[in-house]
Amino acid sequence: MTDNPIIISADDVKFSYPTGIAAINGISLQITRGERIALLGPNGSGKSTLILLIAGLLTPNSGDITVFNEKTTSKTFQKTRSRIGIVFQDPDDQLFTPSVIEDIEYGPKNLKLPDQDIKTQSTYILEKMNITHLKHRPPHRLSFGEKKKVTLATALILKPELLILDEPTANLDLTSRRKLIDTLNELNKNGTTIIISTHDTEAIPELADRIIIINNGLKLNEGKTNEILQNKDILEQSGLEPPATVNLFTELKNQGIIKKIPITIEEGKETLTQLIKNKQQNQPTT
């Protein structure tokens, strides 16, 4: 489709680390522009390796990955990489300059963008992420949540068309988690394709439209978020649990109390409200 083209294609990709550990054992997938994708799997499943391969930071031993119509092994892929933002699980792997502002402006300066454009964009990003007060602070003196915000800012300043995040909700407090989810969904509404590598099934309902399950370096399954998260058998094959909301309402569905299982907390609230209303009116539940 011309209005929703495939921007990522992986064809039988395999990758082993120099130690001999086989991390990716033949994965094929496609991702289209504007999607919100969750790569779901337990720790050690190969998710993090796969996103590094997609970003062109690792090279497949065999198979091909094409991003924005260019193979990641191409000599000119470095230029394409400027269209990709990546946020690592551990912020300390990404922050390395003496101050927050230097980290945020490092990417644009490395691309030799105009100074005034860099200043304008960095000011906007600092305000957007609510971290202006941190701009002159050394990153190593920030809290973990603050570091997470800064690493996201270092990716967003380049206005990426594709944003890849590794375990973005890990170790965040509830407020920071909520703000992160809202920020990512706002970016997606503005056209950014989002890929999230995670084992956090609780966050996925609000962050992804489609799930690709990875385990032992293989793609085990894929499908719409609401379908995958309601399939306990598929999740258990990878040592994963459905979100608490899904677990709760599955029991209600099994008892014939409801017909449709909500997957988000908001949907759960609406379902409970309707149940209470129907009970008060002594009507059958729809």
Side-chain angles (χ1 to χ4, degrees), residues 183-232:
T183 298
L184 294 180
N185 286 333
E186 182 181 344
L187 287 169
N188 179 253
K189 286 178 182 178
N190 291 327
T192 303
T193 303
I194 308 284
I195 300 176
I196 294 168
S197 165
T198 187
H199 65 275
D200 181 4
T201 56
E202 297 292 342
I204 288 179
E206 293 186 87
L207 283 173
D209 306 305
R210 184 159 65 96
I211 292 173
I212 299 173
I213 296 183
I214 308 291
N215 199 16
N216 296 319
L218 296 168
K219 183 179 77 173
L220 293 189
N221 217 309
E222 65 179 311
K224 293 180 180 179
T225 296
N226 63 335
E227 294 172 353
I228 294 292
L229 291 183
Q230 291 181 46
N231 194 321
K232 196 168 185 177

Side-chain angles (χ1 to χ4, degrees), residues 43-44 123 149 189 204 225 227 244 251-252:
N43 290 330
T123 298
K149 291 180 183 179
K189 286 178 182 178
I204 288 179
T225 296
E227 294 172 353
E251 288 300 316
L252 295 180

Side-chain angles (χ1 to χ4, degrees), residues 156-281:
L156 296 186
I157 192 170
L158 293 174
K159 301 179 181 179
E161 297 171 56
L162 169 64
L163 182 61
I164 304 172
L165 305 100
D166 193 4
E167 299 289 358
T169 59
N171 301 312
L172 287 182
D173 59 60
L174 291 177
T175 300
S176 297
R177 181 190 179 99
R178 179 72 263 158
K179 289 181 178 178
L180 173 67
I181 290 171
D182 290 343
T183 298
L184 294 180
N185 286 333
E186 182 181 344
L187 287 169
N188 179 253
K189 286 178 182 178
N190 291 327
T192 303
T193 303
I194 308 284
I195 300 176
I196 294 168
S197 165
T198 187
H199 65 275
D200 181 4
T201 56
E202 297 292 342
I204 288 179
E206 293 186 87
L207 283 173
D209 306 305
R210 184 159 65 96
I211 292 173
I212 299 173
I213 296 183
I214 308 291
N215 199 16
N216 296 319
L218 296 168
K219 183 179 77 173
L220 293 189
N221 217 309
E222 65 179 311
K224 293 180 180 179
T225 296
N226 63 335
E227 294 172 353
I228 294 292
L229 291 183
Q230 291 181 46
N231 194 321
K232 196 168 185 177
D233 290 339
I234 288 176
L235 293 175
E236 286 182 346
Q237 286 176 23
S238 294
L240 300 166
E241 281 283 335
T245 301
V246 173
N247 264 336
L248 170 64
F249 285 95
T250 296
E251 288 300 316
L252 295 180
K253 183 182 179 184
N254 290 341
Q255 294 175 33
I257 298 174
I258 61 172
K259 293 182 179 179
K260 182 180 178 182
I261 300 173
I263 63 170
T264 68
I265 292 176
E266 286 304 313
E267 290 174 353
K269 288 179 181 177
E270 291 176 9
T271 300
L272 286 176
T273 300
Q274 188 64 42
L275 279 173
I276 293 169
K277 183 178 180 181
N278 289 341
K279 186 174 180 60
Q280 290 173 338
Q281 296 175 353

